Amino acid sequence: MKAEFYESVGASGLPQAVLEVGRPALGKGRVEKDGARVRAFVDHGEPRPWQRLGRLLGEEGIFSFALDAPKGMAFGKDQALCLLQGMRVAKAPKETCRIALPLGEGELSAVAQEWAILDWARDLANRGASACRPQDLARAVASALGAIAEGYGLAARSEIIMGDDLRLKGLTGLCAVGGGSAHGPCMLVMEVAAGQDLLGTPPEVALVGKGITFDSGGYDLKTAAFMDTMRTDKCGAVYLAAVAMLLASRQGCPHLLLCLPCAENLAGPMAMLPGDILNYPNGLAVEVGNTDAEGRLVLADALLLDDVETMNAIRKAVDEIDPTIFI
């Protein structure tokens, strides 16, 4: 959902939206229209009132408006982003929305910047499996994060490990999980730092996200009810890519390392089988008890990369309990 943001003060030509809280008899909320004025009622105790407001407006097809924040309720960048997240509904228009918010110029700029990243992540997360194969996912993230880094004057380097190089580097889990698909697995390794001289040194933050672009369960096949949303099994990778982009867009960006193992988990002639023994390069042998438990197999590869700098960097972040996130 593309949007342009304006200050509420002096905004003209837009419906005025008002949030009212504390009407428990109204159930899940409702919207009332009175000419150019829109009143959205949200129950008292609603845990995410701004997101609920966005959903109510979206369901009514109201995507361009000037928000009049209620007295006694905090409204800043975080609340604005919650509002926008709620507005991302099926009715969201393709054209750019015009939204006026009770924020200053600096906060509006931050909202626009962060919403562009969140909107990109939501689009990528929702992309169908046939339109987002493992290498497509890795390339999309490398391109987007690289552009953010360049735009903010940061140094970046990336590598997409695929094909025969996966076995050469000992990425056992990816080879096994992705073996059943005609679309080969890969590992994105990307680093962002304040300067070129920092690239290759231990990072301050290491992020590892599961990028299974479609998970059928393999030979331990999921039922249809559990398979129809499996395009979203890549969301660990997508969300951590967004975290990296948000960090890169802020002042004082830490030295980041992002590792995304990407694969499709399908049944096929070369797919892993229940009972298979996988031998990892650190000497650990893993028996596959269920082919639908593939996430841990590919995430383990990120800790066992046959690249001394990368491996030591991730292990250092884990061993010292630095902010390392596995999703």
Side-chain angles (χ1 to χ4, degrees):
M1 187 187 78
K2 308 305 177 189
E4 292 179 351
F5 301 98
Y6 308 88
E7 293 186 50
S8 288
V9 178
S12 61
L14 295 173
Q16 184 182 25
V18 180
L19 171 66
E20 295 194 16
V21 180
R23 304 281 296 274
L26 293 175
K28 293 187 176 180
R30 73 168 189 239
V31 170
E32 292 181 356
K33 298 179 183 178
D34 180 15
R37 189 175 177 84
V38 179
R39 300 170 70 201
F41 299 95
V42 178
D43 288 354
H44 177 72
E46 169 69 45
R48 294 179 291 275
W50 294 108
Q51 191 164 347
R52 182 64 185 149
L53 171 63
R55 191 165 295 278
L56 287 171
L57 294 173
E59 288 170 352
E60 290 293 325
I62 302 169
F63 293 96
S64 291
F65 56 87
L67 178 67
D68 184 8
K71 294 179 181 179
M73 286 188 69
F75 189 85
K77 175 175 65 69
D78 292 342
Q79 288 76 20
L81 292 171
C82 285
L83 172 70
L84 293 163
Q85 290 279 17
M87 290 173 62
R88 271 193 62 109
V89 295
K91 294 181 181 178
K94 292 184 179 180
E95 61 269 16
T96 300
C97 306
R98 297 175 62 236
I99 301 172
L101 299 171
L103 299 174
E105 184 178 346
E107 281 189 301
L108 278 178
S109 176
V111 167
Q113 169 185 294
E114 296 196 11
W115 176 245
I117 294 171
L118 295 175
D119 192 50
W120 170 88
R122 291 282 294 270
D123 281 341
L124 185 57
N126 286 327
R127 194 171 299 172
S130 296
C132 188
R133 305 295 186 180
Q135 293 176 23
D136 297 330
L137 175 59
R139 292 189 182 103
V141 171
S143 175
L145 180 53
I148 292 282
E150 182 179 1
Y152 287 89
L154 302 172
R157 69 172 183 177
S158 64
E159 178 187 11
I160 299 177
I161 307 167
M162 55 184 144
D164 292 340
D165 288 340
L166 291 167
R167 294 195 183 281
L168 290 174
K169 287 187 174 286
L171 301 181
T172 304
L174 273 172
C175 291
V177 171
S181 173
H183 304 279
C186 63
M187 173 82 80
L188 171 65
V189 181
M190 190 159 186
E191 197 176 355
V192 176
Q196 290 284 344
D197 57 320
L198 293 174
L199 297 178
T201 63
E204 297 171 90
V205 176
L207 305 171
V208 181
K210 171 185 167 183
I212 303 298
T213 56
F214 190 79
D215 182 15
S216 72
Y219 277 106
D220 286 301
L221 197 66
K222 296 179 185 288
T223 62
F226 292 97
M227 203 187 297
D228 60 357
T229 59
M230 282 298 101
R231 69 183 185 284
T232 62
D233 216 27
K234 61 182 179 292
C235 285
V238 174
Y239 293 159
L240 288 188
V243 169
M245 293 165 68
L246 288 168
L247 288 171
S249 68
R250 295 181 178 180
Q251 204 168 30
C253 171
H255 182 183
L256 296 171
L257 180 66
L258 178 68
C259 293
L260 305 181
C262 305
E264 288 181 333
N265 184 23
L266 304 179
M270 302 301 292
M272 64 177 173
L273 303 173
D276 278 355
I277 304 297
L278 307 183
N279 294 296
Y280 283 85
N282 66 340
L284 183 67
V286 175
E287 181 178 1
V288 178
N290 188 317
T291 61
D292 197 19
E294 81 294 334
R296 66 206 71 187
L297 301 178
V298 300
L299 291 172
D301 279 338
L303 294 179
L304 299 171
L305 278 172
D306 192 19
D307 178 289
V308 174
E309 288 181 352
T310 303
M311 179 176 65
N312 288 341
I314 297 177
R315 283 180 174 171
K316 179 179 184 296
V318 174
D319 291 343
E320 296 184 3
I321 321 180
D322 279 348
T324 304
I325 303 174
F326 292 80
I327 294 182

